Amino acid sequence: MVDGPVVAVRGEAYREVAPELARFAVTARARDRDREATLTRLAERAAAVRVLLDGEGPGIDRRETGELQVRPETRRSGERVVAYSGSVTTTVTVSDFTALGELMLRLADQDQIEVAGPWWSLRPDSPAHREARHAALADALLRAREYAEALGARVTALIELADAGAAEQPMMSRMAYAMGDGAESGPPELELDPQPQTVHAAVQARFAISEPVLG
C-alpha cells in the first residue's frame, strides 16, 4: 500500500525499421484424369522446386513443406470421378534479399508452379523489439515527470509497471515486374522494395510523487 499521491500513465513508442526476413510460398500443382499420373506429375514438379532451392545453399534460411492435397474431382451430380488434382506448398524464408526477386522468378518459371509473397517481418528476437520497449518506458517516465512538475511535485518512486501489449505489422512488398521486349532482351527482372516494419510497444506505469503544490 502506497501512502501519498500517485500518478498513472501510459508510455508508448513506435519505430519503423528495415525488415530482417522475407517469406514466400511456392505451390506445385498437377491435374489429370488418371490418379497415378497426377501423383507422378506432382512429385516431379515438387522435386524440381526442391532442386532449385537446393541450389541456393546458404541463401535460404529455412524452408518448410506445408499442406499436401490430393483430391478427386466429381461431376455436379453423382460420384463419378472425372479428374484428380493435387498440390503441395513449400514456405521459404530468407534473410538475404539481394537475389530474392530473381529466385522467385526462376521458381515461377517452372511448369504449374505458383509463387506468392513475399511477406516481410522481423526476427522474434530482433533488437528492435527491445529498443521499442525501452523507449516506451522512457516515455512513461517522461509523462509522469511532466504531470508531477505541473503540480509542483516530483516523481519519487515506481510503484507498478506492466506491459500493455506490442505489435509488429507485417507487410507485403510492392513489386515491379519488368519484361523484356523479346527473347534476346534477357530474362525478366523483378525488383522488390522491402517495406519498413512498424514496431509498437506500450507500458502502463504508476509512480509515487511528492505532495503537490496546489495553492
Side-chain angles (χ1 to χ4, degrees), residues 114-200:
E114 176 184 321
V115 178
W119 299 276
W120 309 97
S121 66
L122 299 175
R123 298 183 186 277
D125 60 349
S126 171
H129 298 296
R130 181 177 64 254
E131 292 168 3
R133 290 191 294 269
H134 288 183
L137 176 56
D139 181 57
L141 181 57
L142 176 62
R143 289 175 184 236
R145 284 172 172 164
E146 288 176 346
Y147 284 126
E149 290 173 2
L151 295 170
R154 59 186 177 82
V155 173
T156 59
L158 172 66
I159 300 171
E160 183 180 20
L161 178 66
D163 191 288
E168 172 191 338
Q169 302 295 329
M171 303 180 71
M172 288 195 67
S173 68
R174 300 186 302 273
M175 295 186 291
Y177 188 84
M179 289 292 294
D181 296 330
E184 296 181 357
S185 60
E189 295 180 358
L190 180 63
E191 297 180 2
L192 301 177
D193 299 323
Q195 291 191 345
Q197 302 297 290
T198 301
V199 182
H200 170 228

Side-chain angles (χ1 to χ4, degrees), residues 67-137:
E67 187 176 37
L68 167 65
Q69 289 188 340
V70 179
R71 63 183 182 86
E73 298 178 5
T74 59
R75 294 188 182 277
R76 292 185 178 180
S77 59
E79 297 184 350
R80 181 184 175 188
V81 177
V82 295
Y84 293 88
S85 62
S87 65
V88 59
T89 300
T90 299
T91 302
V92 181
T93 303
V94 301
S95 56
D96 183 358
F97 309 149
T98 306
L100 177 58
E102 179 186 351
L103 172 60
M104 293 178 68
L105 278 188
R106 284 194 283 116
L107 288 164
D109 193 43
Q110 303 298 303
D111 187 30
Q112 294 297 308
I113 296 296
E114 176 184 321
V115 178
W119 299 276
W120 309 97
S121 66
L122 299 175
R123 298 183 186 277
D125 60 349
S126 171
H129 298 296
R130 181 177 64 254
E131 292 168 3
R133 290 191 294 269
H134 288 183
L137 176 56

Side-chain angles (χ1 to χ4, degrees), residues 24-79:
F24 64 92
V26 187
T27 302
R29 302 186 184 278
R31 184 179 184 276
D32 196 274
R33 295 180 61 182
D34 181 74
R35 179 171 54 188
E36 292 301 321
T38 299
L39 296 175
T40 299
R41 290 178 184 175
L42 183 61
E44 290 174 348
R45 290 164 183 167
V49 168
R50 180 173 292 275
V51 168
L52 275 174
L53 295 177
D54 286 342
E56 293 299 308
I60 293 178
D61 290 47
R62 182 174 181 178
R63 71 187 195 196
E64 304 165 283
T65 301
E67 187 176 37
L68 167 65
Q69 289 188 340
V70 179
R71 63 183 182 86
E73 298 178 5
T74 59
R75 294 188 182 277
R76 292 185 178 180
S77 59
E79 297 184 350

